[in-house]
Amino acid sequence: MMQLTGGIIVIIAFAAIIRKYETRTVLLVAGALMCFIGGVMGQFMDSFVKTMIHGSLVPTICTVMGFAFVMKHTECDQHLVHALSGLISKSHAIIIPLAMLVTWWLNIAVTSAAGAAAAIGSILIPALIAAGVHPAMAGAAILAGTWGSAISPGNTHVAFISKMANVDVMFVVLETALPAIIASLVVAVSLTLVAAFRKEGPSKARQEALAEQGTASIVSKFKVNGLKAMAPIVPLVILVVTNLNIAALKDMGIAKVSVPAAMIIGCVVALIIAHALEDLEEVTKDFFKGMGDAYGSIIGLIIAAAVFTKGMQAMGLTDALLTYMKDSQSIAKIAGSFGPFIIAILSGSGDAAALAFNGAITPHAASFGMNMVDLGSLAQISGAIGRSTSPVAGAAIICASLANVGPMELAKRNIVPMLVGVITFLILF
C-alpha cells in the first residue's frame, strides 16, 4: 500500500512538472509528503541541510555560473560566437550540420541551454535564414545543439554524478565525451537528412524572395577580438590539459586544477584581455550575482531533488525499483535513457527526472551490472537531448522567437534526429 501511494504521488509530481508548475516547489512538496507518510519527517530536513552545504557541488556549480556572468559582462562570449558565425555563413553546403555542431561545442562553454540559445541563436539563426535556410529549420538547428553542456565540467549533473561516484569531475567528462560527441555527429547528420527531405536547406529561391521582400536578415558587423573570443574556453583548456596526466606538466609541478580554480583563473584572464581591471568592482558584483543565481536556481533544484529522493526511499519505491531492475541490465539502461528523455520532451526540462533517477537508482548501479558514472551519465545526457526536442523548453521558445515561427515547428523537425541521438548514446554506453 505504501508503494502504491508513493507511486501515485510520484506520478502526480511529474504530471505537475509537465504542466509547468515550479519544479522545486513540486519536488519539495512531494518529497515532504512522502517523508511524512513514511514516518521519517526528520530526514526531510537532514537531506535539505546536507545538500545545501555540500562541499563540492556548491563551489563547482556556483563558480561556473559566476564565470558565465563575467563572460557576459566583458562580452567575451559574443566575440567567440561572432568569430565562428562568419565560417558558418560561408559554408552553404554543410551550413545546417555545421551550425548545429558549433552550437553544441559552444554550449560546453556557455552551459545554460537558454543562455546558449539566446547568445548563439541571435547571431546564427539570422545568418542561416539569410543563406536561404527555412526559418523553422534554422531555429531547429540551433536548438538541436543546446545539449553540448551535458559534457561540460560545469554541468550540474556532472558534478552530481562525480560526487555520487566519488570520482573527479573531469573523470566523468572524459568518460562520457566520446560517446556524446559521436551522438552529436549522428544528430547533425540526421538533421541534415530531415532538412533535405523537407527541402528546407539553403535555397537561392528563398534568398531571392527575402531580398525582394526586403526582409533578409543581415548579421550585424562585429569586429571580433581574437583574444576575447578565446577567453570563454580558457577554463576548459586548463581542466582538460591538467587532467591528461602529461609527464612534462608533472615535472613542472603543475597538478590537476579544480573546476572552481579553473573558473577563477578564466575570470582573471578575461579581465586582463578585455582591459576590464578598471571595472573590477562591477565585474566582482556580477561574479557573485552569478554565484547567487546558481545557488537559488540550480542548487535549489538539487536540494529539492534530494528531498524527493528521500521521500521515495521512505515509501519503499526505491527498493521496489531496484528489485525490478536487478533482473535485467537492459531494463536499467532503458529506464535511465528513455525515462528522462520522454519527461524532458513533455516538461521542457530533463533536470527533475535525471536528478530523481540518479539520486534514487544510480547509487545502486553495481547491483545490475553497471557503474554509477555510466548509468548516471546515461540519464542526464538523455534528459538533455530530450530538452532539445521539447517545444516548451526555454531554449526552444527563444530559438522559435528568433526564427519567427512556433516552437512546435522546431520540435517537429528535431524529434527524429534527437531520438536517433539518444538511441546512439544508449548503444554506445
Side-chain angles (χ1 to χ4, degrees):
M1 188 62 184
M2 286 278 282
Q3 291 177 7
L4 178 61
T5 304
I8 292 172
I9 293 173
V10 169
I11 291 172
I12 293 173
F14 281 115
I17 291 170
I18 290 169
R19 291 180 64 85
K20 307 304 290 180
Y21 285 92
E22 210 282 323
T23 303
R24 290 166 297 182
T25 304
V26 172
L27 293 178
L28 281 172
V29 171
L33 181 59
M34 288 190 287
C35 285
F36 176 76
I37 296 173
V40 292
M41 196 60 189
Q43 294 183 20
F44 170 90
M45 283 309 302
D46 290 343
S47 297
F48 192 102
V49 174
K50 184 179 179 180
T51 308
M52 71 180 290
I53 59 173
H54 195 278
S56 61
L57 279 178
V58 175
T60 295
I61 293 168
C62 289
T63 51
V64 167
M65 190 62 77
F67 173 77
F69 271 54
V70 172
M71 292 303 99
K72 184 177 181 180
H73 181 98
T74 57
E75 296 186 344
C76 289
D77 56 349
Q78 288 295 307
H79 283 269
L80 176 59
V81 175
H82 277 87
L84 295 169
S85 64
L87 171 65
I88 292 174
S89 61
K90 294 175 183 177
S91 308
H92 283 222
I94 55 170
I95 193 170
I96 291 175
L98 190 58
M100 179 265 155
L101 290 171
V102 165
T103 303
W104 194 87
W105 282 100
L106 288 177
N107 189 214
I108 298 176
V110 185
T111 53
S112 164
I120 302 168
S122 62
I123 298 165
L124 296 192
I125 290 176
L128 289 169
I129 294 173
V133 175
H134 188 283
M137 183 54 68
I142 304 306
L143 178 61
T146 56
W147 62 278
S149 60
I151 62 167
S152 170
N155 183 283
T156 305
H157 297 280
V158 172
F160 187 78
I161 294 165
S162 70
K163 181 265 296 187
M164 183 171 52
N166 195 28
V167 296
D168 187 73
V169 166
M170 287 306 298
F171 177 85
V172 179
V173 171
L174 296 175
E175 185 80 0
T176 57
L178 182 59
I181 291 170
I182 294 173
S184 74
L185 294 173
V186 170
V187 170
V189 172
S190 301
L191 187 65
T192 304
L193 293 175
V194 170
F197 177 78
R198 300 178 67 102
K199 297 181 180 179
E200 294 181 348
S203 164
K204 288 186 177 180
R206 266 191 289 270
Q207 281 183 301
E208 292 171 359
L210 287 172
E212 289 176 5
Q213 296 168 9
T215 57
S217 300
I218 304 299
V219 179
S220 61
K221 298 297 181 181
F222 189 96
K223 189 175 181 180
V224 175
N225 182 311
L227 290 176
K228 284 187 178 182
M230 292 170 58
I233 64 173
V234 167
L236 295 177
V237 173
I238 292 173
L239 287 168
V240 171
V241 170
T242 60
N243 277 271
L244 290 178
N245 295 316
I246 299 173
L249 293 179
K250 288 183 178 180
D251 294 341
M252 294 170 60
I254 300 175
K256 290 184 179 180
V257 177
S258 67
V259 174
M263 295 301 156
I264 291 173
I265 292 171
C267 288
V268 173
V269 171
L271 286 175
I272 295 172
I273 290 174
H275 305 292
L277 288 174
E278 65 275 11
D279 200 23
L280 183 59
E281 184 176 335
E282 291 303 315
V283 172
T284 303
K285 287 180 181 178
D286 276 348
F287 179 80
F288 283 103
K289 182 180 178 182
M291 289 185 65
D293 281 4
Y295 197 96
S297 57
I298 302 172
I299 301 298
L301 180 58
I302 294 175
I303 292 170
V307 171
F308 184 77
T309 300
K310 183 61 68 176
M312 289 180 62
Q313 293 173 354
M315 299 296 285
L317 287 176
T318 303
D319 290 338
L321 287 170
L322 288 173
T323 300
Y324 183 66
M325 288 183 177
K326 283 177 184 177
D327 295 333
S328 173
Q329 180 177 335
S330 62
I331 292 174
K333 282 187 175 182
I334 292 170
S337 57
F338 288 103
F341 177 74
I342 292 169
I343 292 175
I345 292 174
L346 296 173
S347 68
S349 171
D351 290 341
L355 285 171
F357 183 91
N358 283 339
I361 305 301
T362 300
H364 308 278
S367 299
F368 27 89
M370 300 182 71
N371 66 64
M372 285 187 278
V373 172
D374 283 359
L375 184 56
S377 298
L378 181 62
Q380 76 97 352
I381 291 179
S382 296
I385 295 174
R387 183 194 60 228
S388 296
T389 318
S390 174
V392 294
I397 294 169
I398 291 170
C399 288
S401 298
L402 291 169
N404 197 27
V405 297
M408 187 58 72
E409 294 301 311
L410 275 56
K412 288 193 297 185
R413 288 158 175 80
N414 279 3
I415 183 63
V416 172
M418 306 314 279
L419 180 59
V420 173
V422 79
I423 290 173
T424 301
F425 193 77
L426 173 61
I427 292 172
L428 292 173
F429 251 49

